[in-house]
Every structure is written in structure tokens, then in C-alpha cells.
Amino acid sequence: MSKHTHHRVVITGYGALTALGHSAPATWEAMREGRSGIQSTDLDKFQQHEGWTVLISGQVRGWDPKSILEHREARRLDRCALLGLGAAQEAVTHSGWDSTTGDPTRHGCVLGSGIGGITATEDAVVVMHSKNPTRISPFTVPKLMVNSSAGNICIRFNLQGPATTHATACASSGHAIGDAMNYIRSGKADVMIAGGTEAAVTPLCIGAFMVMKALSTRNDEPTKASRPFDRDRDGFVLSEGASMYVLESLEHAQARGATIYAELVGAANSCDAGHITAPHPEGRGALNAMKWAIEDAEINPEEIDYINAHGTSTPLGDKAEVCAVKTLFGDRAKIGGGLVMSSTKSVHGHCLGASGAVELIACIHACRDSVVPPTINLENPDEEFNIGLVPHVAREMPVKYAMNNTFGFGGLNVSFITARFDG
């Protein structure tokens, strides 16, 4: 669809709850400074059994849900939905948008979560086996639903328009943001809340990823465990978190005098159609998602200045992504070629379905502040990765277009493009 026939989509507010802080500004500050939020996991959440080889994670510590809900209401929501609701409240407040104004059927919500209310599921199973089924909480079903966060956000802000939830593993919030953008582009909505939430730092999730050998076991050095593109990477660090955005048509935002932080200009998704967990070795699907997102934005590959990589710190995933980037961008991806790439997962870990949403913060600020956040722990870049990585410290440089990559199990890939808003 041509730029001349669809509505432009802008970001007017955003919020976050991550291992880096309890707000979007706190999260961005830590990303920019390269300050890790990875710590030893709160072991009170685990049964005290032997066999745990992974003792680190990225947790949202010290946040009180009573800051947004009364205690009785908070008890009825899983942590996944609570984090999503908290981030959404910050985004709406930040945007200055009054959700009680306008036509509520023109206001909607698209969210992503790879796993949803897993804490509620685990708790219910324990009760069922240790007591009996009649003792399972009646709130279990609404707590474990993957769409619980979207439903509760719609209720809170009276969003009666387009609403759905994507559960596409680690690509979930990327799909959500792309869909929300297209609802506004096509004229089906004026305002959309979009993003992702995940609260999977639980015994079952850590245990399941642990036995897959997907997680880093660098327990003695938590802050150095997530090391995308480093030759000594040994897996990702599982994290929880949420990030939400208020997206509006440019006309709607300007009519109410909103501050515009960035513009969403393109998005695309693809599938590797290869393996249920491993990426295509040459990044076939990732390449297509990036190429099609650029086409959707109606720009050229040469115009992309910064890529916020999926970069999980896994041996196969990082290699496939770099291969795709080198294929698509050619000489421009080489060191000094003009295109740079970093992975903020090095500081906040892997938030699974919320990853794309959390990392959009970095793309907004790269465009708005002309600062690219670093990949920390990149001490010995894999010798095959001779591209413009940004190690250790942030880099000041003008960024007009930033690309966000988010790839998930099932071979699902999403890329979307943020632009500096110049009017």
C-alpha cells in the first residue's frame, strides 16, 4: 500500500516494566549506559530440588501492582497481565491521551505474549495434585488466558475497536505492533495500544528451557551471561517484562496537540518453514522479513541506519541473523560501512514474547536522540561476524530509520521499521 493512500502512524506514548527499571525512561537509561539487569534468580520461587543448572534471570524487582490496582483486583490477575497493565498505564499517561473522549469503537488493542499466564497454570497444577481439583482457584482460567492482558487493558481504557492477541513465541509483540500499525493505516482505528508482556521466570519455564540447553549457565557472573555475537556465548538469559505503546494516526495526534516521539513506517513477517526451534542456518526467513519490511516502508536498504537485533546470545540464532543481515545489506553492513547493529538483550535478557516491544524503546531513542545503545559483553566477536556491531558503549550518530528484528520458535520472523519524525 502506497504512503500516499494510507494513514501515517505515530507513537505518542510508551511505558515499560523490565529488569532495567519500572518505567520506559529507566529502561532506556540502562540500555544507553550498558547497565545490566541480570541477577541471580529469586530462589523463593523455586522448589528446593537439586538439578538446577540455571540460576540467573532478568526479573522485574520491587514493583508493586497496587500502584495501579487495589489489592483485591490485583489478586485476580496473573503477573503477566499485571505487568502489561502497568506498562499500558504508563504509556497512556505519557501520551496525554484521554481514553474517555472520542468514539471507543475507533480505539483498540493488539498485544503479544508467548506464554501468557504461566504462573497461574503452575499454581493450579500444584493445588490439583497436592489437594484436590475443587480447591483450584475460580480465577485460574481468566488468569492463564494469553489474551488476559489485552482484555484487561481494553476494559480499563474502554477500547471497543479492533482487539486481539498474538502468541507467536518470541515474535509475538512484533506481530502485535505490526498489526496495530495496519489497523490505523487502513483507517479502521484512530488509536491503538500495542506491545507485549511476559512473566515466564517460573520453575517450569526455566526448567524447560534449561533441559533444551537454550539458557546460559554463567551463574557466577550474571551480568556477563548475556553476550550476543560473542564467540563465548552459551545461550540466552530468560527474563520477564512488558512494554506498551500508544499508536495514533498522524491526523488524530496532531488534532489533539500530542507530542510525537517517532513514526512507524513499515512491518513484515515471514516463516523459515524449516525447524520448530532452530533458525534456518542462513537466516532465510529473517532475510525475507527484513527485505519486506523495507519494501513496506517504501525506502531502500541503504536508508536503514540502525538494526536492533534479535540477538539472543545463542550460537545458532546469532549466526543466522548476522548471515541474513550480511546478505541483505552487503558492503553497507561491513565495519565502517554505515549500518550498525546492537542487541539490548545483553542488558535486559530475553523477554520472549515481549522482546520486540521492549526493544522498540531503543529504536525510538536511536531516532529521536541520535544515540545507538551498545551490546555489552562483546569481548571477542565471533570471527564470522565482521559487521558494524556496537560493543560496550553507546554510539552517537544520526539515525533516520531504525529496524527492529524479532524472531521466534516455529521459524516465525518479524521486522518493523521506526523513523525519526520530521513532520
Side-chain angles (χ1 to χ4, degrees), residues 187-238:
K188 294 182 174 67
D190 298 319
V191 183
M192 296 291 295
I193 294 178
T197 182
E198 203 78 89
V201 181
T202 70
L204 178 60
C205 288
I206 288 186
F209 281 115
M210 179 184 77
V211 297
M212 285 181 69
K213 308 296 184 184
L215 301 180
S216 173
T217 57
R218 198 182 289 259
N219 299 312
D220 294 336
E221 299 178 295
T223 61
K224 295 186 176 183
S226 184
R227 43 198 320 112
F229 311 119
D230 191 83
R231 71 185 182 197
D232 297 321
R233 62 193 186 279
D234 68 332
F236 69 83
V237 175
L238 183 62

Side-chain angles (χ1 to χ4, degrees), residues 64 172 176 351 356 395 402:
D64 188 351
S172 299
C351 300
R395 181 176 303 176

Side-chain angles (χ1 to χ4, degrees), residues 296-310:
D296 187 52
E298 296 187 337
I299 60 175
N300 299 311
E302 293 76 20
E303 295 180 84
I304 299 293
D305 299 302
Y306 169 58
I307 299 175
N308 184 283
H310 184 60

Side-chain angles (χ1 to χ4, degrees), residues 314-352:
T314 60
L316 295 180
D318 289 7
K319 184 176 181 179
E321 184 171 13
V322 169
C323 183
V325 168
K326 290 168 72 172
T327 299
L328 179 59
F329 293 97
D331 288 344
R332 195 153 183 279
K334 293 180 179 179
I335 297 171
L339 174 69
V340 299
M341 181 167 79
S342 68
S343 172
T344 56
K345 286 186 180 72
S346 59
V347 292
H348 55 68
H350 192 359
C351 300
L352 303 184

Side-chain angles (χ1 to χ4, degrees), residues 65-152:
K66 293 195 290 293
S67 62
I68 58 166
L69 288 172
E70 293 183 1
H71 179 64
R72 183 178 179 181
E73 294 177 296
R75 288 182 60 193
R76 297 180 178 182
L77 301 183
D78 185 86
R79 184 169 176 82
C80 181
L82 288 170
L83 292 175
L85 194 58
Q89 183 62 67
E90 182 191 359
V92 171
T93 301
H94 182 222
S95 74
W97 172 56
D98 183 353
S99 63
T100 66
T101 62
D103 180 357
T105 66
R106 302 281 301 170
H107 308 155
C109 178
V110 186
L111 300 187
S113 183
I115 295 177
I118 187 65
T119 299
T121 304
E122 292 184 29
D123 289 347
V125 170
V126 170
V127 170
M128 182 176 68
H129 287 293
S130 64
K131 297 179 182 178
N132 65 68
T134 64
R135 301 295 298 277
I136 295 173
S137 167
F139 298 112
T140 297
V141 170
K143 289 174 76 171
L144 64 82
M145 298 186 310
V146 180
N147 68 313
S148 177
S149 187
N152 280 283

Side-chain angles (χ1 to χ4, degrees), residues 138-290:
F139 298 112
T140 297
V141 170
K143 289 174 76 171
L144 64 82
M145 298 186 310
V146 180
N147 68 313
S148 177
S149 187
N152 280 283
I153 288 171
C154 286
I155 292 168
R156 188 178 187 94
F157 299 107
N158 191 33
L159 312 176
Q160 299 179 32
T164 188
T165 297
H166 288 272
T168 49
C170 306
S172 299
S173 59
H175 280 113
I177 291 166
D179 272 10
M181 178 191 75
N182 284 325
Y183 279 123
I184 296 173
R185 270 184 165 186
S186 63
K188 294 182 174 67
D190 298 319
V191 183
M192 296 291 295
I193 294 178
T197 182
E198 203 78 89
V201 181
T202 70
L204 178 60
C205 288
I206 288 186
F209 281 115
M210 179 184 77
V211 297
M212 285 181 69
K213 308 296 184 184
L215 301 180
S216 173
T217 57
R218 198 182 289 259
N219 299 312
D220 294 336
E221 299 178 295
T223 61
K224 295 186 176 183
S226 184
R227 43 198 320 112
F229 311 119
D230 191 83
R231 71 185 182 197
D232 297 321
R233 62 193 186 279
D234 68 332
F236 69 83
V237 175
L238 183 62
S239 296
E240 61 182 2
S243 189
M244 301 291 169
Y245 299 82
V246 175
L247 310 183
E248 301 183 52
S249 68
L250 177 59
E251 301 95 323
H252 189 277
Q254 291 179 329
R256 70 179 187 86
T259 299
I260 295 171
Y261 295 98
E263 183 173 2
L264 282 174
V265 296
N269 61 77
S270 69
C271 187
D272 289 353
H275 191 276
I276 199 64
T277 56
H280 185 272
E282 296 177 358
R284 176 174 63 193
L287 172 63
N288 285 333
M290 290 189 288

Side-chain angles (χ1 to χ4, degrees), residues 27-73:
T27 296
W28 165 243
E29 181 180 2
M31 286 178 175
R32 186 187 64 223
E33 294 178 356
R35 177 164 29 90
S36 177
I38 308 305
Q39 301 182 44
S40 296
T41 304
D42 178 1
L43 293 179
D44 290 343
K45 301 182 72 173
F46 292 81
Q47 296 176 347
Q48 298 303 307
H49 292 165
E50 295 182 358
W52 294 105
T53 59
V54 176
L55 305 174
I56 56 177
S57 63
Q59 294 176 277
V60 179
R61 297 173 182 267
W63 179 69
D64 188 351
K66 293 195 290 293
S67 62
I68 58 166
L69 288 172
E70 293 183 1
H71 179 64
R72 183 178 179 181
E73 294 177 296

